[in-house]
Amino acid sequence: MIQKKQHPFVALFALLLSAALAPSSQANEVRVDEIWSDNMAASIETAQKEHQDMILLFTGSDWCPPCQKLEKETLGQADFLAGVRDGWVLVKFDFLRNSPLSKELEQQNEKWSEHYGVAAFPTLVLVDEQQRPFGFLGYQEGGPVTMLESLRDLKERRAMRDNALAQAEKAEGDQRAAFLDQALTALDPTVVEVWYTDIVEEIVKLDEDNHLGLREKWYGARDAEARQIIFADIRAVSRLARPEQAISFIDEVLEAVEFPVQERFEILKIKLGLLQQAGNEAGALDLLDSMLGMPEISDATRQRLIVKKALQYFSSGRVQEATGLLEASMGEKGNFFVRLTLAQILAKSDQTDRAIALLNEAIPQASNEPDALVELVAALADLQSRSIGDDAALDTLEQFANNEQVPVDLRAEALLQAAMIMRESGRVRPATLTENRAVALAKTPELARELQRVVDALRSRVDDSGN
């Protein structure tokens, strides 16, 4: 097949024509300066006249690579400009470094960047015709498509805001608070906390007692921070002032400030310590009854309060009331700290055999609660050592230490107690071997170091005492 020879000028023309007709990002690219205004005052006037939102571009077009990339890939593309032609007024604040900029524009750009807190380039601030922001954007991958999707989403959120605010204008009380909440919920929280504080304050005022949950929603973090400051004041006053003064201060705070249950409970614990410190037994018992009456507290917390109340009785010589309270609170199973406290009070009341029997009964029931179990075993070993003999105590501790179902740190604790008993009776070598066993139980370097520190302290104390 013979090909027809093409004139060289015809070939060159065809090449240029095909290049001109080929799709090109450069062909679609438009200079941002030709579309975006640099006059904020005139742009505001246009936005208000035409009821349009504004896109404010804060950029550094002659020195900032991400800014240049955003303009080239997105903001200068014909597809993007077509997408924002209706409904947006475009304003550019260009912070040039390598090109001259008039003093007037410098001052304008600084004014609006400070107004909106712009600290990084590029930043797009989306505002309504009254210049209140409803969104902030930065550089995004994906070109015009991605940016236009983000703009549509934020415009929809602004519309939701405006619809809810319009509903709020016709409402009062709880209903108004609910509509105002809807308006702000449509926006990014970081925008709300800076630019919508007036509306937040109105919501909180309408829901001062938090019956709608809106005060907690919008002021929760702020209230929590304020309560932490008050709590620190309470701790400081409780350490530095006389107990009576500190108690009075706490009562005033509790009257004036609404605390969540757990925080209020912690404050009442401080007050209880102050009442006990002041020797106010009646006040301490009344407060314990009040704390026990709080329906929100857990069973474990209730158990510890009963123990505190029993110890309060015991410290004032009311032994029968202490034991009666504990016996009534034991139940058939569980309540191990109640049982432990009862055993300790019985032992101090010369009822050691009954105390030992109580502990022997409780220990098997506590097999699934290692923390309670180790306390019961330690108490039993202590009573056995004082009433029966060291060998019985050591047997109890050895059985516990050999129980592989118990966490190793608790088993090591039992071995250290056994070592202390041995040292007190002059059995130094067995004590040393037992201490080494305790350290060897550790399965982590951190626990091994902690146990070794305890062992070193025990040995040092013995050396200092001369035993």
Side-chain angles (χ1 to χ4, degrees):
M1 181 177 178
I2 301 174
Q3 290 184 327
K4 186 178 178 181
K5 188 174 181 180
Q6 191 175 42
H7 192 282
F9 288 107
V10 174
L12 177 60
F13 176 76
L15 180 63
L16 292 173
L17 181 62
S18 63
L21 295 176
S24 166
S25 62
Q26 289 184 347
N28 272 336
E29 192 174 329
V30 180
R31 281 184 55 82
V32 172
D33 293 342
E34 298 173 358
I35 305 297
W36 294 67
S37 170
D38 63 3
N39 188 325
M40 183 60 166
S43 298
I44 290 173
E45 186 176 336
T46 300
Q48 293 178 345
K49 180 180 178 181
E50 300 181 6
H51 303 295
Q52 292 182 325
D53 295 327
M54 305 175 72
I55 302 176
L56 311 181
L57 169 63
F58 293 85
T59 187
S61 64
D62 69 347
W63 61 271
C64 168
C67 302
Q68 295 165 347
K69 193 174 182 183
L70 178 63
E71 292 194 19
K72 181 178 179 61
E73 294 178 354
T74 302
L75 305 184
Q77 294 295 315
D79 291 346
F80 173 80
L81 294 168
V84 296
R85 181 173 293 114
D86 297 325
W88 295 98
V89 174
L90 310 181
V91 188
K92 178 180 179 181
F93 301 96
D94 203 348
F95 292 76
L96 300 174
R97 290 185 181 177
N98 302 312
S99 307
L101 190 66
S102 71
K103 192 68 173 178
E104 181 181 2
L105 283 180
E106 281 186 8
Q107 292 174 347
Q108 172 197 257
N109 294 356
E110 288 293 338
K111 171 188 171 182
W112 288 101
S113 67
E114 290 178 8
H115 181 72
Y116 290 113
V118 175
F121 297 146
T123 295
L124 296 170
V125 184
L126 312 183
V127 303
D128 58 26
E129 61 186 270
Q130 302 303 322
Q131 300 92 61
R132 177 171 266 189
F134 57 87
F136 287 74
L137 296 171
Y139 172 78
Q140 294 181 334
E141 298 279 358
V145 172
T146 301
M147 183 63 74
L148 289 172
E149 286 178 356
S150 297
L151 293 175
R152 278 193 295 270
D153 175 66
L154 289 169
K155 190 177 269 289
E156 287 173 4
R157 289 176 177 274
R158 196 268 299 148
M160 292 167 60
R161 178 203 73 178
D162 291 351
N163 180 60
L165 288 176
Q167 298 276 23
E169 285 299 312
K170 299 179 287 187
E172 296 180 353
D174 289 355
Q175 194 176 35
R176 178 173 173 81
F179 281 127
L180 292 175
D181 171 64
Q182 287 180 24
L184 299 193
T185 302
L187 305 176
D188 188 296
T190 58
V191 175
V192 171
E193 67 185 21
V194 176
W195 293 98
Y196 294 81
T197 55
D198 55 332
I199 298 178
V200 171
E201 288 173 2
E202 184 177 357
I203 293 172
V204 171
K205 186 175 181 180
L206 290 167
D207 189 31
E208 187 66 34
D209 61 358
N210 198 45
H211 65 282
L212 299 175
L214 297 180
R215 180 185 178 95
E216 174 64 23
K217 177 178 179 179
W218 294 107
Y219 266 16
R222 173 173 158 175
D223 286 347
E225 184 178 353
R227 291 195 305 270
Q228 286 300 310
I229 294 171
I230 295 171
F231 198 79
D233 289 342
I234 289 173
R235 285 197 294 263
V237 170
S238 68
R239 288 194 300 266
L240 302 175
R242 295 198 307 272
E244 294 80 6
Q245 291 177 315
I247 291 168
S248 177
F249 176 71
I250 288 173
D251 288 341
E252 290 177 9
V253 168
L254 292 176
E255 181 68 25
V257 181
E258 188 70 28
F259 287 91
V261 172
Q262 189 56 44
E263 292 179 17
R264 183 179 181 84
F265 188 82
E266 292 301 315
I267 294 172
L268 291 177
K269 283 169 61 177
I270 295 174
K271 181 181 177 180
L272 177 63
L274 291 167
L275 287 167
Q276 292 171 332
Q277 185 181 337
N280 187 344
E281 179 188 345
L285 289 172
D286 285 345
L287 180 56
L288 282 165
D289 285 338
S290 176
M291 295 167 75
L292 282 165
M294 297 172 69
E296 302 89 351
I297 62 174
S298 66
D299 289 341
T301 299
R302 193 176 306 279
Q303 185 181 158
R304 293 187 182 279
L305 287 174
I306 290 170
V307 167
K308 285 179 180 291
K309 186 175 180 181
L311 293 175
Q312 182 68 46
Y313 279 141
F314 183 74
S315 66
S316 59
R318 299 160 67 177
V319 179
Q320 288 187 340
E321 289 173 272
T323 56
L325 172 64
L326 293 168
E327 287 170 346
S329 305
M330 282 197 311
E332 293 183 5
K333 292 184 179 181
N335 288 353
F336 299 116
F337 291 104
V338 169
R339 294 169 184 267
L340 174 60
T341 305
L342 177 57
Q344 292 169 334
I345 289 177
L346 290 172
K348 291 178 181 178
S349 304
D350 296 326
Q351 300 183 60
T352 304
D353 290 344
R354 188 180 169 199
I356 289 175
L358 181 63
L359 292 172
N360 278 322
E361 178 186 330
I363 285 172
Q365 297 176 5
S367 58
N368 293 325
E369 298 190 33
D371 289 336
L373 181 60
V374 71
E375 295 268 7
L376 294 167
V377 168
L380 176 60
D382 181 60
L383 291 180
Q384 288 173 329
S385 178
R386 289 191 278 120
S387 62
I388 302 175
D390 289 346
D391 289 343
L394 292 173
D395 284 345
T396 295
L397 293 169
E398 183 69 22
Q399 289 178 22
F400 181 82
N402 289 334
N403 184 353
E404 295 185 356
Q405 302 302 313
V406 175
V408 293
D409 58 328
L410 301 182
R411 294 164 61 196
E413 187 176 325
L415 288 174
L416 293 179
Q417 184 179 354
M420 289 176 62
I421 294 173
M422 293 175 189
R423 286 188 180 278
E424 288 173 356
S425 61
R427 298 158 67 179
V428 177
R429 179 169 174 75
T432 301
L433 293 174
T434 302
E435 290 161 353
N436 291 341
R437 282 178 59 200
V439 175
L441 280 175
K443 294 185 177 181
T444 65
E446 294 79 12
L447 179 58
R449 285 194 294 269
E450 180 61 30
L451 291 170
Q452 189 61 56
R453 279 196 293 268
V454 175
V455 168
D456 292 342
L458 290 173
R459 292 172 180 174
S460 176
R461 189 176 69 179
V462 170
D463 292 341
D464 291 343
S465 66
N467 294 326

